[in-house]
mmCIF file of all heavy atoms in Angstrom:
data_model
loop_
_atom_site.group_PDB
_atom_site.id
_atom_site.type_symbol
_atom_site.label_atom_id
_atom_site.label_comp_id
_atom_site.label_asym_id
_atom_site.label_seq_id
_atom_site.Cartn_x
_atom_site.Cartn_y
_atom_site.Cartn_z
ATOM 1 N N ASP A 87 -11.437 29.500 8.166
ATOM 2 C CA ASP A 87 -11.949 30.702 7.533
ATOM 3 C C ASP A 87 -12.913 30.299 6.416
ATOM 4 O O ASP A 87 -12.548 29.525 5.522
ATOM 5 C CB ASP A 87 -10.803 31.536 6.961
ATOM 6 C CG ASP A 87 -11.290 32.772 6.243
ATOM 7 O OD1 ASP A 87 -11.526 33.793 6.907
ATOM 8 O OD2 ASP A 87 -11.430 32.711 5.000
ATOM 9 N N SER A 88 -14.131 30.792 6.459
ATOM 10 C CA SER A 88 -15.154 30.354 5.524
ATOM 11 C C SER A 88 -14.804 30.691 4.075
ATOM 12 O O SER A 88 -15.017 29.874 3.173
ATOM 13 C CB SER A 88 -16.508 30.966 5.886
ATOM 14 O OG SER A 88 -16.450 32.384 5.858
ATOM 15 N N LYS A 89 -14.282 31.877 3.843
ATOM 16 C CA LYS A 89 -13.951 32.265 2.466
ATOM 17 C C LYS A 89 -12.820 31.419 1.900
ATOM 18 O O LYS A 89 -12.860 31.002 0.739
ATOM 19 C CB LYS A 89 -13.579 33.742 2.417
ATOM 20 C CG LYS A 89 -14.745 34.679 2.707
ATOM 21 C CD LYS A 89 -14.320 36.140 2.586
ATOM 22 C CE LYS A 89 -15.498 37.066 2.843
ATOM 23 N NZ LYS A 89 -15.104 38.495 2.751
ATOM 24 N N GLN A 90 -11.831 31.138 2.734
ATOM 25 C CA GLN A 90 -10.683 30.363 2.275
ATOM 26 C C GLN A 90 -11.064 28.926 1.948
ATOM 27 O O GLN A 90 -10.710 28.403 0.881
ATOM 28 C CB GLN A 90 -9.582 30.380 3.340
ATOM 29 C CG GLN A 90 -8.334 29.621 2.947
ATOM 30 C CD GLN A 90 -7.259 29.666 4.029
ATOM 31 O OE1 GLN A 90 -7.413 30.343 5.033
ATOM 32 N NE2 GLN A 90 -6.181 28.944 3.804
ATOM 33 N N ILE A 91 -11.810 28.268 2.854
ATOM 34 C CA ILE A 91 -12.165 26.876 2.606
ATOM 35 C C ILE A 91 -13.186 26.784 1.468
ATOM 36 O O ILE A 91 -13.164 25.839 0.671
ATOM 37 C CB ILE A 91 -12.705 26.191 3.893
ATOM 38 C CG1 ILE A 91 -12.809 24.670 3.688
ATOM 39 C CG2 ILE A 91 -14.039 26.762 4.321
ATOM 40 C CD1 ILE A 91 -11.500 23.994 3.429
ATOM 41 N N ASN A 92 -14.063 27.762 1.352
ATOM 42 C CA ASN A 92 -15.026 27.777 0.259
ATOM 43 C C ASN A 92 -14.317 27.847 -1.088
ATOM 44 O O ASN A 92 -14.642 27.094 -2.022
ATOM 45 C CB ASN A 92 -15.983 28.954 0.413
ATOM 46 C CG ASN A 92 -17.085 28.940 -0.623
ATOM 47 O OD1 ASN A 92 -17.909 28.034 -0.660
ATOM 48 N ND2 ASN A 92 -17.099 29.950 -1.488
ATOM 49 N N ALA A 93 -13.335 28.726 -1.185
ATOM 50 C CA ALA A 93 -12.598 28.884 -2.441
ATOM 51 C C ALA A 93 -11.857 27.606 -2.806
ATOM 52 O O ALA A 93 -11.849 27.189 -3.983
ATOM 53 C CB ALA A 93 -11.622 30.048 -2.325
ATOM 54 N N ARG A 94 -11.257 26.943 -1.821
ATOM 55 C CA ARG A 94 -10.490 25.738 -2.114
ATOM 56 C C ARG A 94 -11.398 24.585 -2.539
ATOM 57 O O ARG A 94 -11.071 23.842 -3.481
ATOM 58 C CB ARG A 94 -9.639 25.323 -0.903
ATOM 59 C CG ARG A 94 -8.672 24.217 -1.254
ATOM 60 C CD ARG A 94 -7.724 23.857 -0.146
ATOM 61 N NE ARG A 94 -6.945 22.696 -0.563
ATOM 62 C CZ ARG A 94 -6.253 21.914 0.258
ATOM 63 N NH1 ARG A 94 -6.183 22.198 1.555
ATOM 64 N NH2 ARG A 94 -5.599 20.871 -0.205
ATOM 65 N N ILE A 95 -12.531 24.448 -1.864
ATOM 66 C CA ILE A 95 -13.465 23.379 -2.233
ATOM 67 C C ILE A 95 -13.995 23.608 -3.641
ATOM 68 O O ILE A 95 -14.034 22.679 -4.472
ATOM 69 C CB ILE A 95 -14.629 23.298 -1.228
ATOM 70 C CG1 ILE A 95 -14.138 22.820 0.142
ATOM 71 C CG2 ILE A 95 -15.723 22.359 -1.750
ATOM 72 C CD1 ILE A 95 -13.591 21.417 0.181
ATOM 73 N N LEU A 96 -14.414 24.814 -3.947
ATOM 74 C CA LEU A 96 -14.969 25.093 -5.272
ATOM 75 C C LEU A 96 -13.932 24.882 -6.370
ATOM 76 O O LEU A 96 -14.267 24.453 -7.474
ATOM 77 C CB LEU A 96 -15.499 26.528 -5.323
ATOM 78 C CG LEU A 96 -16.704 26.832 -4.425
ATOM 79 C CD1 LEU A 96 -17.145 28.280 -4.615
ATOM 80 C CD2 LEU A 96 -17.856 25.880 -4.696
ATOM 81 N N ASP A 97 -12.671 25.115 -6.054
ATOM 82 C CA ASP A 97 -11.618 25.009 -7.057
ATOM 83 C C ASP A 97 -11.078 23.595 -7.214
ATOM 84 O O ASP A 97 -10.812 23.143 -8.334
ATOM 85 C CB ASP A 97 -10.468 25.953 -6.688
ATOM 86 C CG ASP A 97 -9.366 25.947 -7.730
ATOM 87 O OD1 ASP A 97 -9.671 26.148 -8.918
ATOM 88 O OD2 ASP A 97 -8.190 25.732 -7.353
ATOM 89 N N GLU A 98 -10.924 22.840 -6.096
ATOM 90 C CA GLU A 98 -10.192 21.577 -6.127
ATOM 91 C C GLU A 98 -11.048 20.328 -5.987
ATOM 92 O O GLU A 98 -10.659 19.243 -6.428
ATOM 93 C CB GLU A 98 -9.145 21.553 -5.009
ATOM 94 C CG GLU A 98 -8.115 22.664 -5.082
ATOM 95 C CD GLU A 98 -7.140 22.604 -3.906
ATOM 96 O OE1 GLU A 98 -6.900 21.486 -3.394
ATOM 97 O OE2 GLU A 98 -6.654 23.662 -3.490
ATOM 98 N N CYS A 99 -12.197 20.448 -5.351
ATOM 99 C CA CYS A 99 -12.989 19.266 -4.989
ATOM 100 C C CYS A 99 -13.735 18.697 -6.187
ATOM 101 O O CYS A 99 -14.385 19.433 -6.936
ATOM 102 C CB CYS A 99 -13.966 19.652 -3.882
ATOM 103 S SG CYS A 99 -15.078 18.328 -3.389
ATOM 104 N N ARG A 100 -13.663 17.365 -6.350
ATOM 105 C CA ARG A 100 -14.401 16.697 -7.419
ATOM 106 C C ARG A 100 -15.232 15.517 -6.914
ATOM 107 O O ARG A 100 -16.013 14.941 -7.654
ATOM 108 C CB ARG A 100 -13.432 16.214 -8.507
ATOM 109 C CG ARG A 100 -12.702 17.347 -9.224
ATOM 110 C CD ARG A 100 -13.671 18.238 -9.979
ATOM 111 N NE ARG A 100 -13.002 19.326 -10.680
ATOM 112 C CZ ARG A 100 -12.737 20.523 -10.153
ATOM 113 N NH1 ARG A 100 -13.117 20.791 -8.902
ATOM 114 N NH2 ARG A 100 -12.137 21.464 -10.849
ATOM 115 N N ASN A 101 -15.021 15.120 -5.647
ATOM 116 C CA ASN A 101 -15.816 14.049 -5.057
ATOM 117 C C ASN A 101 -15.811 14.223 -3.543
ATOM 118 O O ASN A 101 -15.158 15.128 -3.011
ATOM 119 C CB ASN A 101 -15.285 12.663 -5.466
ATOM 120 C CG ASN A 101 -13.820 12.466 -5.096
ATOM 121 O OD1 ASN A 101 -13.442 12.608 -3.923
ATOM 122 N ND2 ASN A 101 -12.998 12.137 -6.078
ATOM 123 N N TYR A 102 -16.524 13.361 -2.827
ATOM 124 C CA TYR A 102 -16.686 13.548 -1.388
ATOM 125 C C TYR A 102 -15.421 13.193 -0.612
ATOM 126 O O TYR A 102 -15.201 13.712 0.477
ATOM 127 C CB TYR A 102 -17.908 12.775 -0.900
ATOM 128 C CG TYR A 102 -19.173 13.424 -1.393
ATOM 129 C CD1 TYR A 102 -19.714 13.074 -2.633
ATOM 130 C CD2 TYR A 102 -19.778 14.444 -0.680
ATOM 131 C CE1 TYR A 102 -20.846 13.703 -3.122
ATOM 132 C CE2 TYR A 102 -20.908 15.079 -1.154
ATOM 133 C CZ TYR A 102 -21.435 14.713 -2.385
ATOM 134 O OH TYR A 102 -22.539 15.365 -2.870
ATOM 135 N N GLY A 103 -14.598 12.316 -1.178
ATOM 136 C CA GLY A 103 -13.299 12.075 -0.568
ATOM 137 C C GLY A 103 -12.435 13.317 -0.636
ATOM 138 O O GLY A 103 -11.746 13.679 0.332
ATOM 139 N N ASP A 104 -12.457 14.004 -1.775
ATOM 140 C CA ASP A 104 -11.749 15.281 -1.912
ATOM 141 C C ASP A 104 -12.229 16.274 -0.875
ATOM 142 O O ASP A 104 -11.431 16.958 -0.225
ATOM 143 C CB ASP A 104 -11.983 15.884 -3.303
ATOM 144 C CG ASP A 104 -11.186 15.207 -4.399
ATOM 145 O OD1 ASP A 104 -10.273 14.423 -4.086
ATOM 146 O OD2 ASP A 104 -11.488 15.468 -5.584
ATOM 147 N N PHE A 105 -13.551 16.376 -0.732
ATOM 148 C CA PHE A 105 -14.123 17.340 0.208
ATOM 149 C C PHE A 105 -13.616 17.102 1.629
ATOM 150 O O PHE A 105 -13.116 18.017 2.294
ATOM 151 C CB PHE A 105 -15.649 17.263 0.181
ATOM 152 C CG PHE A 105 -16.319 18.118 1.212
ATOM 153 C CD1 PHE A 105 -16.499 19.474 1.000
ATOM 154 C CD2 PHE A 105 -16.761 17.570 2.407
ATOM 155 C CE1 PHE A 105 -17.111 20.282 1.961
ATOM 156 C CE2 PHE A 105 -17.360 18.357 3.377
ATOM 157 C CZ PHE A 105 -17.542 19.717 3.159
ATOM 158 N N LEU A 106 -13.743 15.860 2.096
ATOM 159 C CA LEU A 106 -13.321 15.550 3.459
ATOM 160 C C LEU A 106 -11.818 15.741 3.617
ATOM 161 O O LEU A 106 -11.347 16.309 4.616
ATOM 162 C CB LEU A 106 -13.716 14.117 3.817
ATOM 163 C CG LEU A 106 -13.367 13.660 5.235
ATOM 164 C CD1 LEU A 106 -14.021 14.554 6.276
ATOM 165 C CD2 LEU A 106 -13.791 12.212 5.445
ATOM 166 N N ARG A 107 -11.047 15.282 2.644
ATOM 167 C CA ARG A 107 -9.587 15.418 2.720
ATOM 168 C C ARG A 107 -9.164 16.875 2.794
ATOM 169 O O ARG A 107 -8.320 17.249 3.618
ATOM 170 C CB ARG A 107 -8.943 14.733 1.512
ATOM 171 C CG ARG A 107 -7.426 14.897 1.434
ATOM 172 C CD ARG A 107 -6.868 14.269 0.172
ATOM 173 N NE ARG A 107 -7.539 14.752 -1.032
ATOM 174 C CZ ARG A 107 -7.273 15.944 -1.589
ATOM 175 N NH1 ARG A 107 -6.395 16.774 -1.030
ATOM 176 N NH2 ARG A 107 -7.913 16.308 -2.697
#
Side-chain angles (χ1 to χ4, degrees):
D87 178 84
S88 60
K89 292 182 179 179
Q90 181 180 355
I91 191 63
N92 185 64
R94 189 175 174 197
I95 292 295
L96 294 182
D97 183 53
E98 301 178 29
C99 177
R100 296 297 180 271
N101 57 56
Y102 289 88
D104 284 348
F105 174 81
L106 181 59
R107 176 184 53 78

